[in-house]
Amino acid sequence: MEMQRITRARLDGFSTFRLPASARELVLLEDAGDLRVLLDTGQPVLILGGGSNTLFVGDFDGRVIVNQLTGIDSEVVDRDRVLITAGAGENWHSLVRWTLDRGLWGIENLALIPGLVGAAPMQNIGAYGVELAHCLHAVQAFDRNSGEIVWLKADDCALNYRHSRFKGEDAGRFVILAIQLELFMHGTPVLEYPSLIDELARHGQSQPGDSRTVAAAVMRIRKRKLPDPEHIPNAGSFFKNPVIENSQAQALIDANPELPWWPDKPGCTKLSGGWLIDQLGWRGKTVGDAQVYEKHALVLINRGNASGADVVELARRIRADVERNFNIVLVPEPVLVGGAL
Ligand code: FAD
Ligand code: EPU
């Protein structure tokens, strides 16, 4: 089938933050066989999924390839384990629903995260006590260095909090074509996140017997707390929760006992970035049409006509204020294209 190509393409509708920007060219990838030709170009290339973690703060002078490779397959491994293979262009939440419909356990806490399957390993998506790393088995990718399609084991993907080799040492090298998840027929709920435990208790479901009940609770929390990109353009958390050395964290926690924190890698503590920003009074503050979300200080939104410059300026001011007051440098979570903080 003929590939769909658009020259001088508007990007506003391809990112959930809906900033005004354009690309020199945009192509819809429906057949992995077209990839070699598409990547063999003198211009910069950007692979895009659902655009829910990408902000076009300026134009992209190159080719945007929108991944639309679909398909879901399953293979029973033994009496409990099932391997699910999903194309990178599948919608993530639809995949979660597909697993819930079959009574499988593993990704129920990751319900309602926007975007496509192919981006999930990029930042090792995580929510409500579970990260993709908990159940990722392997990633199928086109390796631009060798020109080959490879399978990478999850252990070789360097998955970490909001990080992976695909964002780090190997940024730009792999185009993710599919992922493989190991899910369970007889699982148990992961009930570690306080607001999830509270939500289930409030509904008399403290010991959920199926994954669907857990997913429903996660979805209720998310709908209350996070803006729906269909109505309020945003990219979820704008900054990562800062991970800092234990000694610095302890001093801050001693001075602010209500500051939420979580243990992280050895020697380090993760702090709530939302709390830090909130303490400094940023909720609702604006630059142009970019705004700190009223219900959650870690989330920035586009009130309608924000420019990339508005968002960058607002984020810079927040970052500077947090650094001045807490001596912590916040790092943006989404990928900024056409500009930087
Ligand atoms: P995109 O924005 O399209 O791409 C993200 C990055 O991955 C870009 O650098 C892109 O170049 C690259 N990429 C995408 N696809 C491929 C591919 N096939 N091969 C190679 N590179 C690729 N994230 C969480 O982890 N937890 C949450 O709870 C969460 N909640 C959110 C809530 C809201 C309301 C929103 C708007 C976002 C939230 N996010 C969350 C962020 C986002 O949904 C995830 O990061 C998601 O995985 C991004 O998917 P996407 O397809 O939209 O990625
Ligand atoms: N908080 C405040 N003020 C705020 C916001 C939060 O004080 O304005 C405090 C509250 O005490 C709250 C705590 O921060 O209990 C934690 O807030 P929340 O449960 O919303 O989680 P988060 O740390 O802000 C992270 C992820 C989310 C993910 C949730 C649930 C990051 C950067 N963000 O947010 O992921 O959905 O946990 O697990 O790690 C995303 O990545 O885009 C995203 C939305």
Side-chain angles (χ1 to χ4, degrees):
M1 206 172 67
E2 217 14 48
M3 269 184 281
Q4 292 193 54
R5 288 170 190 254
I6 308 164
T7 45
R8 287 185 298 282
R10 297 296 319 161
L11 293 172
D12 316 19
F14 286 91
S15 149
T16 59
F17 217 99
R18 281 185 235 155
L19 295 172
S22 63
R24 196 195 297 177
E25 189 188 21
L26 184 138
V27 188
L28 304 183
L29 176 72
E30 290 166 348
D31 181 347
D34 293 334
L35 203 49
R36 245 184 211 96
V37 175
L38 286 174
L39 293 169
D40 187 16
T41 167
Q43 52 181 327
V45 169
L46 174 75
I47 312 295
L48 196 62
S52 65
N53 218 28
T54 303
L55 265 79
F56 292 107
V57 293
D59 292 338
F60 182 67
D61 189 20
R63 175 179 288 167
V64 173
I65 301 176
V66 184
N67 194 318
Q68 300 198 325
L69 304 172
T70 52
I72 303 178
D73 281 323
S74 63
E75 181 193 331
V76 175
V77 179
D78 56 29
R79 290 162 75 107
D80 193 26
R81 288 178 300 158
V82 183
L83 274 186
I84 307 292
T85 308
E90 289 287 340
N91 176 274
W92 173 261
H93 181 64
S94 301
L95 175 64
V96 175
R97 280 208 316 257
W98 190 96
T99 68
L100 299 176
D101 288 346
R102 285 155 184 80
L104 296 171
W105 293 84
I107 50 176
E108 59 279 359
N109 296 46
L110 303 179
L112 219 57
I113 296 180
L116 306 188
V117 160
M122 292 298 295
Q123 69 159 10
N124 179 26
I125 54 170
Y128 301 97
V130 170
E131 290 183 339
L132 184 76
H134 283 76
C135 56
L136 184 71
H137 184 69
V139 172
Q140 188 195 42
F142 179 83
D143 181 352
R144 297 181 69 186
N145 285 1
S146 66
E148 302 292 332
I149 291 177
V150 293
W151 276 100
L152 304 168
K153 291 202 195 83
D155 285 349
D156 296 330
C157 293
L159 300 178
N160 222 311
Y161 168 62
R162 296 296 187 269
H163 197 71
S164 71
R165 72 184 285 185
F166 308 111
K167 257 190 124 171
E169 63 198 87
D170 280 325
R173 174 172 165 187
F174 294 104
V175 178
I176 295 173
L177 304 176
I179 69 171
Q180 211 164 46
L181 303 175
E182 186 177 81
L183 303 183
F184 296 91
M185 291 182 243
H186 310 285
T188 47
V190 179
L191 302 178
E192 288 164 8
Y193 206 81
S195 56
L196 177 57
I197 296 169
D198 292 350
E199 178 68 23
L200 285 162
R202 262 208 306 279
H203 283 73
Q205 299 168 326
S206 292
Q207 298 299 325
D210 55 59
S211 51
R212 189 184 288 278
T213 304
V214 179
V218 166
M219 287 162 66
R220 287 196 298 274
I221 304 172
R222 296 185 70 99
K223 283 180 179 163
R224 275 202 302 271
K225 197 170 354 189
L226 293 167
D228 176 355
E230 284 293 318
H231 306 290
I232 304 176
N234 77 94
S237 302
F238 192 88
F239 295 102
K240 295 184 196 180
N241 282 325
V243 176
I244 62 172
E245 283 190 11
N246 284 342
S247 53
Q248 188 191 358
Q250 197 52 56
L252 268 169
I253 295 162
D254 288 345
N256 306 280
E258 68 290 4
L259 164 55
W261 61 274
W262 303 268
D264 203 79
K265 56 189 179 225
C268 290
T269 301
K270 191 195 284 172
L271 301 178
S272 161
W275 187 91
L276 298 173
I277 297 169
D278 204 10
Q279 282 303 295
L280 300 172
W282 279 97
R283 274 199 216 201
K285 294 273 172 64
T286 57
V287 169
D289 246 3
Q291 184 175 37
V292 181
Y293 189 47
E294 295 274 9
K295 294 189 201 165
H296 202 300
L298 201 56
V299 177
L300 302 189
I301 64 166
N302 175 0
R303 290 199 301 182
N305 293 307
S307 64
D310 292 340
V311 181
V312 167
E313 180 57 24
L314 179 58
R316 280 185 183 155
R317 287 185 197 173
I318 294 169
R319 187 179 59 180
D321 203 21
V322 169
E323 185 174 10
R324 203 166 33 245
N325 285 278
F326 297 112
N327 195 25
I328 290 174
V329 179
L330 293 177
V331 175
E333 182 195 284
V335 179
L336 269 53
V337 177
L341 281 205

